[in-house]
Amino acid sequence: MSLMANAVQVQNAQSIQTSDGVAHGVSVAVIGVGLMGNKIARRLASQGASVSAWNRSADKATALAEVGIRAAPTVAQAATADVLLLSLSDAATIRATILADDVKELLRGKTVLQMGTIGPKESASLAAEVVAAGGRYVEAPVLGSQPEAEKGTLLIMVGADADPRDTPGDPVWPLLKALGQEPNIHYIGPVGTAAAVKLSLNQLIASLTVGFSTSLGLVQRSGAPVDKFMSILRASALYAPTYDKKLQKMLDRDYGAANFPTKHLLKDVRLFESEAAAAGLDTRLLAALKGVVQDTVDRGLADTDYSAVFDAVAHPEGKGEHQQ
């Protein structure tokens, strides 16, 4: 890197860290800086928060130095921040990461802000352990992906003992405002309720995408013009914008880089099925959805956009052709 480029990078990092954004002065460690965590960390830094980051693959955290985000070598060192924001894949990973003995003892007086998609019972169990360790737990799963995290327009569901906007000086509230803006932040109720709403929304992702894939597949097989089908669909009460977002990927059978990969959709469908069964709901449709998404993953499409379920629905004879 040239001296001039290096100077510009340092200047940019300094300007981000001294920004007078809505999260100015909040000390936060982002635990897990993969697809979403990376964008969340960058957004918070741009809004004035003092951000550190930890990731199991350390290179993902150290790469954030270009925007003034400090990489923490261990989770325990990241736990010096006032807020530990979790952007991790599942409850088991969360438990192994922040409830390990060397970290758990550091949670006293800290706030754990859990933003991943996990089950209501899992979230309540984690909350109980964090509180027992002297910490505070807030669940705040989001609807939206990397572009929305980058722009600060995520839809955020909050589960906590009280609405964080009603607590003066609460460090969680400015972080949420930086990521979602006030009209997009919804206090649902106690811990577990926001997790349930988020999981329910993700179930709709699977249902809508598999349903649209099935209809589109029949239209193609019949020889009817896809554009006519879409025109009628768009003019009807049946339309959802996600159909147009995924249409070209399905037509091209090119599912590209993922904002929300198929493997994560499979995890969420499995989790929803388990929660639905425990709640006494009929899970026959969920079992079928799970089978379609599992078949998609088995084709080698785990890391592609979840629109890849179209492959399993419309081209069942092609199983195995995408495997690496």
Side-chain angles (χ1 to χ4, degrees):
M1 180 181 293
S2 69
L3 289 175
M4 181 175 293
N6 187 60
V8 169
Q9 185 182 78
V10 170
Q11 184 178 17
N12 287 343
Q14 289 173 340
S15 67
I16 286 172
Q17 290 291 63
T18 58
S19 168
D20 252 347
V22 296
H24 180 68
V26 179
S27 169
V28 57
V30 180
I31 309 298
V33 286
L35 294 175
M36 279 294 282
N38 181 290
K39 299 300 185 184
I40 286 171
R42 289 173 182 269
R43 172 67 183 176
L44 293 178
S46 77
Q47 294 299 301
S50 175
V51 184
S52 59
W54 177 87
N55 198 76
R56 184 171 54 185
S57 302
D59 57 316
K60 291 183 179 179
T62 55
L64 292 168
E66 66 183 19
V67 291
I69 295 172
R70 179 180 62 85
T74 66
V75 181
Q77 287 173 280
T80 58
D82 293 334
V83 179
L84 276 64
L85 188 158
L86 309 182
S87 183
L88 298 167
S89 58
D90 54 48
T93 302
I94 292 171
R95 185 174 296 281
T97 302
I98 67 155
L99 293 176
D101 290 341
D102 63 328
V103 179
K104 190 174 182 178
E105 64 185 13
L106 303 175
L107 295 181
R108 182 168 299 279
K110 308 292 184 181
T111 296
V112 173
L113 179 58
Q114 199 298 107
M115 301 195 79
T117 302
I118 61 176
K121 293 182 182 65
E122 293 175 327
S123 193
S125 175
L126 289 168
E129 293 195 53
V130 169
V131 170
R136 173 181 174 233
Y137 180 94
V138 176
E139 63 181 13
V142 304
L143 194 64
S145 194
Q146 294 176 71
E148 290 77 21
E150 198 166 26
K151 293 181 291 185
T153 57
L154 292 165
L155 288 167
I156 304 176
M157 295 138 272
V158 181
D161 291 340
D163 189 337
R165 82 188 75 202
D166 295 335
T167 307
D170 189 336
V172 165
W173 181 239
L175 297 177
L176 298 181
K177 282 204 298 182
L179 295 171
Q181 304 177 30
E182 190 160 357
N184 293 335
I185 303 167
H186 304 272
Y187 176 67
I188 308 299
V191 169
T193 58
V197 170
K198 164 59 175 171
L199 201 56
S200 298
L201 290 166
N202 277 26
Q203 187 277 139
L204 283 174
I205 294 174
S207 293
L208 288 171
T209 310
V210 171
F212 178 64
S213 296
T214 307
S215 293
L216 179 62
L218 182 59
V219 168
Q220 285 183 317
R221 294 290 174 89
S222 75
V226 170
D227 60 337
K228 295 292 186 183
F229 164 67
M230 291 303 301
S231 293
I232 296 167
L233 179 58
R234 292 183 191 111
S236 76
L238 303 173
Y239 178 70
T242 188
Y243 300 155
D244 270 311
K245 288 183 178 180
K246 303 305 178 185
L247 176 62
Q248 199 58 51
K249 293 179 182 292
M250 293 177 179
L251 294 177
D252 295 341
R253 295 183 70 190
D254 183 0
Y255 310 110
N259 286 329
F260 182 41
T262 307
K263 64 185 179 185
H264 289 172
L265 184 62
L266 178 59
K267 181 263 294 184
D268 292 347
V269 172
R270 285 173 171 165
L271 189 52
F272 187 90
E273 183 186 30
S274 174
E275 292 287 344
L281 301 177
D282 189 319
T283 60
R284 287 175 293 177
L285 177 59
L286 295 169
L289 284 174
K290 182 177 67 175
V292 171
V293 184
Q294 181 68 65
D295 185 24
T296 308
V297 168
D298 291 344
R299 290 165 176 252
L301 296 168
D303 294 313
T304 63
D305 183 85
Y306 65 85
S307 56
V309 297
F310 177 74
D311 229 64
V313 169
H315 301 279
E317 72 288 348
K319 187 170 183 178
E321 67 184 50
H322 290 280
Q323 291 178 347
Q324 302 299 316

